[in-house]
Amino acid sequence: MIYVANWKMNGDKEFVHSILSEIKDNILPFLSDGSTLVLCPPSIYLSEVNDICKNISIEIGAQDCSAHEKGAFTGEVSAQMISGTGTDWVILGHSERRQYHAENNVILIDKLQAAHNAGLKVIFCVGETHQQYNEGMTRDTLQGQLAILDDTSLVNLNYIIAYEPVWAIGSGLVPKLEEIDIIHQFIKTQRSKKTNLSKETKVLYGGSVNPDNAKEIKSLKSVDGVLVGGASLSSNKFKQICI
Ligand code: PGA
């Protein structure tokens, strides 16, 4: 299982230090064998979190990176800069970036290339809105979002997918277990049709994962892990999700 904590724009220095020591003492030693823990703090804390986690088996991820390599892009952080902090992963295509920062396939393809060039592994988020869900457009929407991975420049991209229905994020709503299972299988099939890899694409579920629903979601064979937002800000809740 892969457990990703997306802290979004939350926490301060003190929070970072205390949650890291709680995760180190109360979660890490109890994770089942073969599990991966990825923590995604705000980019300002990446260096510090990497330093603290240096000799611990916790992987670190950024929540976004610039589409540009360098230059006059005030406020942006490049994939290379992120990688320079020792960070392994970057989340790209999160629905909050798509929604509030108008990130579309054109921008995302550049970001994916930038991440690849910097040697970062990508957690690529896809998901439908409630309207698309109600209109039975989930598969079409996902297909459109996944299509950019077929770009020839991205054949060697190291990525996993996070299926996050937009309407499930932060809402307390979660699709039915069968729906999660069917969509995860759909994503895996889509990707296997497009790649020559014998390896199956890993797919995480994200959207209102909490201690009450994590066990059932994780029990689905098609679920390779979870991407947790709100509940990852409490080490106690995150522990109940991971263990
Ligand atoms: P949530 O967020 O767990 O708070 O719903 C998930 C996410 O946005 O990645």
Side-chain angles (χ1 to χ4, degrees), residues 6-228:
N6 177 10
W7 294 345
K8 308 192 181 185
M9 199 175 71
N10 291 297
D12 52 16
K13 238 171 155 31
E14 209 178 305
F15 164 83
V16 168
H17 281 264
S18 73
I19 198 159
L20 280 178
S21 84
E22 286 159 12
I23 290 172
K24 204 166 72 156
D25 296 344
N26 303 331
I27 301 182
L28 205 54
F30 306 103
L31 278 184
S32 57
D33 282 352
S35 297
T36 305
L37 194 54
V38 184
L39 305 180
C40 304
S43 61
I44 190 96
Y45 300 125
L46 283 171
S47 285
E48 199 155 345
V49 173
N50 269 290
D51 285 348
I52 298 171
C53 296
K54 210 170 232 150
N55 299 313
I56 311 170
S57 49
I58 291 179
E59 300 189 16
I60 314 298
Q63 299 172 14
D64 181 41
C65 72
S66 173
H68 306 281
E69 218 173 277
K70 61 176 175 182
F73 301 102
T74 302
E76 293 268 74
V77 180
S78 77
Q80 202 67 55
M81 291 168 185
I82 289 168
S83 149
T85 64
T87 299
D88 313 281
W89 294 88
V90 60
I91 298 174
L92 288 176
H94 192 282
S95 71
E96 285 151 18
R97 300 290 316 173
R98 293 179 191 262
Q99 206 178 336
Y100 308 134
H101 301 270
E103 285 191 5
N104 53 26
N105 280 4
V106 177
I107 296 168
L108 280 169
I109 206 155
D110 289 343
K111 291 198 172 197
L112 288 163
Q113 283 166 356
H116 173 60
N117 293 340
L120 293 172
K121 295 183 276 188
V122 173
I123 300 164
F124 186 58
C125 300
V126 294
E128 80 286 358
T129 62
H130 215 188
Q131 190 178 347
Q132 289 163 333
Y133 172 81
N134 287 332
E135 290 172 355
M137 294 296 289
T138 299
R139 286 175 180 74
D140 288 343
T141 305
L142 299 178
Q143 238 162 355
Q145 292 169 337
L146 292 168
I148 61 172
L149 297 172
D150 301 333
D151 192 89
T152 48
S153 64
L154 299 174
V155 278
N156 294 319
L157 182 74
N158 195 348
Y159 70 93
I160 58 176
I161 307 278
Y163 169 54
E164 300 204 294
V166 179
W167 52 276
I169 295 176
S171 64
L173 301 171
V174 175
K176 294 192 195 83
L177 284 181
E178 311 89 82
E179 292 176 310
I180 296 177
D181 197 25
I182 288 169
I183 295 300
H184 277 227
Q185 284 174 26
F186 171 76
I187 293 171
K188 284 171 192 263
T189 309
Q190 288 299 310
R191 292 320 302 150
S192 69
K193 278 192 205 158
K194 307 282 183 167
T195 57
N196 302 320
L197 297 175
S198 50
K199 236 178 20 181
E200 200 181 68
T201 302
K202 290 202 186 311
V203 184
L204 315 183
Y205 171 77
S208 293
V209 176
N210 63 45
D212 297 329
N213 60 27
K215 206 171 171 182
E216 283 186 318
I217 294 171
K218 283 162 57 180
S219 73
L220 297 171
K221 263 214 154 61
S222 58
V223 171
D224 299 297
V226 285
L227 173 42
V228 189

